[in-house]
Amino acid sequence: MKKYGKAILLAASALLSLAAFAQKTGQNGAQNPSYTGSLPVSENLSAQQYQAMAKVSLQDAVKAAQAALNTTATPTKVKLGVENGYLVWEVVLAGQEVKVDAGNGQVLHQEAVGAPEEKDGERHDENDGESHDDNG
């Protein structure tokens, strides 16, 4: 019986993961916005594991975002996480959200903060300890 119990738990876990992925990617299977990074990762690692994998430092990610926006503004949020299955830095500054590849420092995407696409295709860690004003 124990052997079957483990198999059932494993199958249930796989189904839950698949359901979460399907909900995240939507009907057509594509994440929005869609881009490809250089460090593919799974979404179930710890913040420390992501940090150890990142080849680009927080400071270099901020510099890349500032260069992309041609500004020296101080970021209001910088977070390392998984986007579209890749490790990226999310840098918010000057009213823009910039996604910077954590492997090579390339800017992968940028958009105005609060744009509708911001909520699609990204993993949000609700216990990240950061607070930000979301007026809208």
Side-chain angles (χ1 to χ4, degrees):
M1 267 323 238
K2 287 183 180 181
K3 183 167 60 171
Y4 294 116
K6 287 182 181 180
I8 290 170
L9 285 175
L10 198 61
S13 177
L15 284 174
L16 287 173
S17 296
L18 184 59
F21 178 76
Q23 181 180 20
K24 180 176 169 181
T25 58
Q27 296 286 329
N28 62 2
Q31 292 180 322
N32 187 15
S34 180
Y35 47 81
T36 304
S38 65
L39 289 175
V41 295
S42 67
E43 293 189 13
N44 58 355
L45 301 177
S46 70
Q48 291 80 13
Q49 288 171 307
Y50 291 140
Q51 190 68 46
M53 294 172 72
K55 297 178 182 175
V56 173
S57 69
L58 180 147
Q59 294 81 7
D60 288 340
V62 169
K63 288 177 187 176
Q66 289 171 325
L69 298 175
N70 195 25
T71 183
T72 58
T74 301
T76 57
K77 178 180 179 183
V78 180
K79 181 179 173 184
L80 183 62
V82 180
E83 303 276 339
N84 294 327
Y86 296 92
L87 192 61
V88 300
W89 286 101
E90 176 184 320
V91 182
V92 177
L93 69 150
Q96 296 286 311
E97 181 179 289
V98 181
K99 307 293 184 176
V100 179
D101 189 303
N104 60 21
Q106 177 183 357
V107 172
L108 300 172
H109 182 76
Q110 66 186 60
E111 66 187 16
V113 172
E117 295 84 8
E118 179 179 318
K119 301 300 179 196
D120 294 338
E122 62 183 76
R123 174 180 180 245
H124 291 282
D125 187 352
E126 295 182 19
N127 296 319
D128 63 9
E130 296 179 90
S131 63
H132 54 281
D133 190 9
D134 199 15
N135 293 325

